[in-house]
Amino acid sequence: LTLAGSTYTMENLFSNDRLLDYPKRLNRLRFATSMLFIVLFIPLCVISFQGYQQYKRDLLTQYEQQAGKITDQINRRLFKRAALANAIPVDAFDYYQTLYNPVTGEITKALSPLTNIESFTRFKGHLGYFQRSENGQLNSPVWPSSSVANDRQLQAKEYSKALENRRLLAMDIFQIINSSAELTEILDKAQPTTHNKFDVLLTVPDYYVFYRAVNVIDQIKVQGYVLHRKDYLTDLILDVGHFTPLNIQLAMEVKQDTNQAFNFIHSTDEQGQIAIEQPETLSSEKTELNIGQTRLNWPYKDYVISYSTSALKLDTTTLYSIALMFTLLVVLSMGCYGMYFLGKRHLILAEQRLNFVSSVSHELKTPLTSIRMYAEMLKSDMVISNENKKDYYEFIHSESERLSRLIDNILQLSSLNRQQNNVKLQYTELTVLADIIRSKISSMLENSGFELVINYNVNDPEKTCLLVDLDAFSQVIINITDNAIKFFDENIIKDDSRKKIDVTFSAHPTNTNSVMLEIRDYGIG
């Protein structure tokens, strides 16, 4: 792992070298934090991804089941309608039915139930029934004879609207039957069967022609009915779709082996209202997810329904799960960054302490050496003059005070390790604080030739009380003064008037309950 321009290894990470400098320790912290983040982040991402993939598989299975329900309903209705057609009596294809009364022995004629147009027009695409006799004559239950185009019994001018509709239906059926020579040949060769079930002819374009050969009073007749493929199947799908509620938007492409296709979009709104659209083509947005395809049962086995839908619809539980996983990733990132940030602060603090201890150690040697040297000279009676002895005593006293200040700084640093500093606040008059400043730094100022100037920009300083910790306040003043004196370079600054320290108490510009303390020196900056 390369961090901050240097290569870091596991050996460096677990090294017990206590002499590492700050950059190396910072790199160690970065490496440890990065490894922790990677170790936690990758498994969490893998778990999230696998969970989402499993959810997609489960949801796709649910979609497939719902699509299967539609296909089952369509096939069930196809079978039911075929069964109803097979149950039609053989004598119902004539315009009139012959009815025998066993009580009176009378034979009467009555209209066939198939003459009622509503019996087959309730299904869109169901054009009607037909019957073909052995001599090739066609008739339909909706019209009394085969001479539809020019019927002498009913002239065109006398046709009512109802009769005209019947005539047009019969003409359409006869034209479809006569349009295919193959169909005519099949009808000529049809032989009666015992089950009287309809077979289907698939060679007529756009139509299904169902037929069966039956014996009617020792005559072989071919009976059947005609369906318009697309209209009949579209009506069936719409009928099924309006009674099949789904919780997804489902796109259906009904495609024939001849590549003829028609489309549906099934959707249910929040109120449970079902809507079915019939677009010319399906857009890619509606078919992002392919669910599968199924082939319809007889007689529509050459049709395949392809199911698809738009992007996965996430339920509330899944949205909560995704939000939770995202929250965990954010918390993990913030936690690792927070750990790195806190570790870096500790490293900086530790580096500052080391630098301070190193600096203080050097500072301690100077006064100790001077005190020891002058003490040895006084002890050995090498100094005879009383004036020189007095100067030596003053020097030893000054260096001891300096040494005390250095020790106080070290103690102040050690107190930073405590979780809570013991601060003793008390109300103190402003003038008393000024006196404390003079007493604490007067000897330092006199020995170095500095002057102290205290200014008051506060109303009634004698009556102004401040809440302070006197020990901490004194330490701050001593440290600042010591730095000001220490870094005043007389070789550069040759102006004795600048050897002074200004202490100013002034009212805070925004907080009326606070006093601002400003300390200024005139050194090199």
Side-chain angles (χ1 to χ4, degrees), residues 430 456-461 464 505-507 515:
L430 187 58
Y456 298 100
N457 293 329
V458 180
N459 295 329
D460 297 330
T464 303
F505 291 97
S506 58
V515 171

Side-chain angles (χ1 to χ4, degrees), residues 297-311:
N297 292 345
W298 185 91
Y300 283 90
K301 58 184 179 181
D302 55 341
Y303 280 89
V304 175
I305 302 182
S306 299
Y307 297 95
S308 57
T309 186
S310 55

